[in-house]
Amino acid sequence: MPITVTPEEARSIVKDAYLYGWPLSENYNTIYAYNVDTTGPNYKAPINQIYNENQVYTPEDTSVVTPNSDTPYSFVTADLRAEPLVLTVPAMSPTNRYFSYQLIDCYTYNFNYIGTRATGNAGGTFLLVGPSWQGGDTSQFTGVFYSESELDFVIVRTQLFAPDDMPNVEAIQAQYKVQTLSQFTGSPPPPAAPQINWPLPATGDAGKTPAVFSVVNFILQFCPTHPTEVGLMERFAKIGVGAGLPFDAESLSPEMLAAFEAGIADAWAEFEKINAQVSAGELSTADFFGSREYLNNNYLYRFTAAKQGIYGNTKQEALYPMYYVDADDRKLDASTGNYTITLTSLPPVHAFWSITMYDAETQLLVDNPINRYLVNSPMLDSFVRGADGSITFYVQNESPGSALEPNWLPAPSGGFYMAMRLYYPDQTALDGEWTPPPAVLVS
């Protein structure tokens, strides 16, 4: 489809289309790595099959930025074009074990949940339905969840109480079942959906070039246009962005290529403004993750969520207070100082909490001599406490000494950031009555 606007007009449209589309491309990167690229290092399983991780994330896992490392994951990429999927969940054992199924559409919206908070720990069968399903009797299901897109990504988190609890987690994961509706009912399957010709993703530096739009156009084929976005799609079509449209970045004229590159740079500049507000405490990451209704089509927020930690949970499921600066608003850097975080009261949660370390450059977990990437509530009995019962964590590159090493959160020799995670947070945390203690520079 030819571009029908001037380079000046294109720059403005490109900025908005990039803010809109880049999260879709980032989500596709994961689907491609996990379910399409069978020879790649991050391949998990075919589409419509569940894959269970029998370990937590380490620095060797590089496919997702800012990963959680305190719940073993399970993953499903759902193709709902031909028929719905049935997700069977066992009752949790013990009954207080936290788990969640995060249902994510192609836009990266969290459109619903199965789990401790949302549906309880008694188990059940849940129907995951795409936009093209013609309907049928759903009365036999514990719950029915409707997606805007034909492809969904499902992330399952199962609480690990301690390292020796892993066999129990594996036993639960073995009972997570994924079936097509026809498999579940034992009825003849409908006609198969057309085979998908998966394009190469636009990863790394390519994700910051016009090449990203060819991936966006591919993904939009699985996303019927939402009523609130009809006008938006008409505008994006002026630069060749839309469901199934051919897009060849190499065919852009020098003037139009410059306009596209400028528009993409403008989008990243908008992100940097938001990021500065987060660092200053003016915005919370809780503002960026959620359903379409919650975000109200705020594409800059959705973009920020994908950049800061794609697949973050909706705030009612988990809060993510971030540590980018110290108590005096200086960027965290363990090459120039050591830090402490002191908990005078425990984070208020119904499930559990953690603080995880990340390298500022790579956004990945940090390799260290004791293989500790986080501190969390299951480790409470091992922490050294102050006379008043408080817990002080030592955030630094080198060990604080054997006596304090149980409280050491190893940092890289350079810039870093930390994510606190509050799973199933109490209302006091959601309302801001409880706030995380700062990171204090001590040397």
Side-chain angles (χ1 to χ4, degrees):
M1 184 173 183
I3 295 174
T4 61
V5 292
T6 65
E8 292 75 19
E9 292 173 297
R11 176 175 179 172
S12 174
I13 299 173
V14 166
K15 182 190 82 169
D16 292 340
Y18 188 82
L19 289 173
Y20 180 94
W22 184 77
L24 282 69
S25 175
E26 288 293 287
N27 177 57
Y28 179 67
N29 292 349
T30 302
I31 292 174
Y32 187 87
Y34 282 17
N35 309 103
V36 178
D37 185 8
T38 56
T39 62
N42 294 307
Y43 181 78
K44 307 296 184 188
I47 285 176
N48 286 350
Q49 293 185 25
I50 192 164
Y51 178 85
N52 298 311
E53 297 275 10
N54 300 138
Q55 61 184 14
V56 290
Y57 270 48
T58 73
E60 295 180 1
D61 298 290
T62 61
S63 60
V64 175
V65 297
T66 319
N68 149 1
S69 186
D70 49 11
T71 61
Y73 282 111
S74 303
F75 302 99
V76 184
T77 293
D79 181 352
L80 305 173
R81 292 174 300 153
E83 59 179 319
L85 284 188
V86 179
L87 309 177
T88 300
V89 180
M92 286 299 111
S93 175
T95 56
N96 66 335
R97 186 187 298 275
Y98 169 86
F99 84 104
S100 67
Y101 277 56
Q102 179 185 2
L103 309 181
I104 308 158
D105 62 24
C106 277
Y107 299 104
T108 69
Y109 290 126
N110 300 332
F111 65 91
N112 225 314
Y113 279 87
I114 301 165
T116 303
R117 176 194 62 84
T119 59
N121 275 11
T125 53
F126 301 87
L127 193 66
L128 182 57
V129 179
S132 61
W133 191 52
Q134 298 302 307
D137 180 18
T138 61
S139 60
Q140 63 185 306
F141 296 104
T142 312
V144 182
F145 302 104
Y146 295 90
S147 172
E148 289 184 22
S149 62
E150 300 282 11
L151 297 178
D152 288 342
F153 189 55
V154 181
I155 300 178
V156 187
R157 298 170 175 89
T158 310
Q159 183 176 4
L160 178 72
F161 290 112
D164 62 3
D165 184 41
M166 186 61 77
N168 301 318
V169 170
E170 291 182 33
I172 291 169
Q173 290 176 325
Q175 298 175 73
Y176 293 151
K177 187 181 297 185
V178 176
Q179 300 168 283
T180 62
L181 179 58
S182 59
Q183 288 171 336
F184 179 79
T185 60
S187 54
Q195 186 173 349
I196 296 174
N197 183 21
W198 304 96
L200 289 173
T203 58
D205 291 341
K208 294 188 176 183
T209 71
V212 78
F213 291 119
S214 62
V215 177
V216 172
N217 287 3
F218 167 77
I219 288 294
L220 285 175
Q221 297 177 95
F222 307 102
C223 305
T225 300
H226 192 268
T228 63
E229 294 180 346
V230 173
L232 194 69
M233 290 302 137
E234 291 174 351
R235 182 168 179 256
F236 290 169
K238 295 176 181 179
I239 59 164
V241 173
L245 295 179
F247 187 92
D248 181 12
E250 295 183 0
S251 69
L252 296 173
S253 69
E255 295 80 12
M256 194 59 71
L257 177 61
F260 268 70
E261 291 174 340
I264 291 171
D266 292 343
W268 283 106
E270 288 295 306
F271 162 76
E272 290 300 339
K273 292 177 186 177
I274 288 286
N275 203 35
Q277 290 181 276
V278 173
S279 297
E282 297 168 9
L283 282 175
S284 164
T285 54
D287 297 315
F288 306 139
F289 299 102
S291 64
R292 177 188 292 276
E293 292 72 25
Y294 174 73
L295 288 170
N296 195 27
N297 289 6
N298 188 323
Y299 307 120
L300 178 56
Y301 278 15
R302 190 180 68 189
F303 181 100
T304 303
K307 173 58 178 171
Q308 289 191 334
I310 194 169
Y311 310 134
N313 276 299
T314 302
K315 66 181 180 180
Q316 286 80 9
E317 196 67 38
L319 284 177
Y320 303 94
M322 302 297 290
Y323 288 89
Y324 293 110
V325 296
D326 66 16
D328 296 311
D329 290 328
R330 294 169 294 210
K331 284 190 174 181
L332 301 172
D333 191 331
S335 68
T336 58
N338 298 333
Y339 303 84
T340 60
I341 297 173
T342 300
L343 296 177
T344 55
S345 64
L346 296 179
V349 293
H350 297 289
F352 65 99
W353 56 266
S354 65
I355 305 174
T356 307
M357 171 66 63
Y358 301 98
D359 183 282
E361 182 67 25
T362 65
Q363 296 184 269
L364 300 174
L365 298 168
V366 174
D367 197 15
N368 63 83
I370 62 171
N371 298 323
R372 181 182 297 159
Y373 315 119
L374 55 83
V375 289
N376 64 14
S377 51
M379 300 164 62
L380 277 174
D381 289 343
S382 69
F383 296 141
V384 177
R385 291 181 179 260
D388 60 354
S390 63
I391 301 170
T392 296
F393 297 119
Y394 298 88
V395 183
Q396 54 196 63
N397 180 245
E398 297 183 354
S399 172
S402 58
L404 298 176
E405 197 162 279
N407 295 27
W408 179 31
L409 182 55
S413 181
F416 69 93
Y417 66 98
M418 295 172 286
M420 177 180 279
R421 289 179 168 88
L422 309 179
Y423 287 92
Y424 195 175
D426 185 77
Q427 196 63 39
T428 56
L430 290 169
D431 293 342
E433 296 176 31
W434 181 91
T435 57
V440 177
L441 180 67
V442 293
S443 66

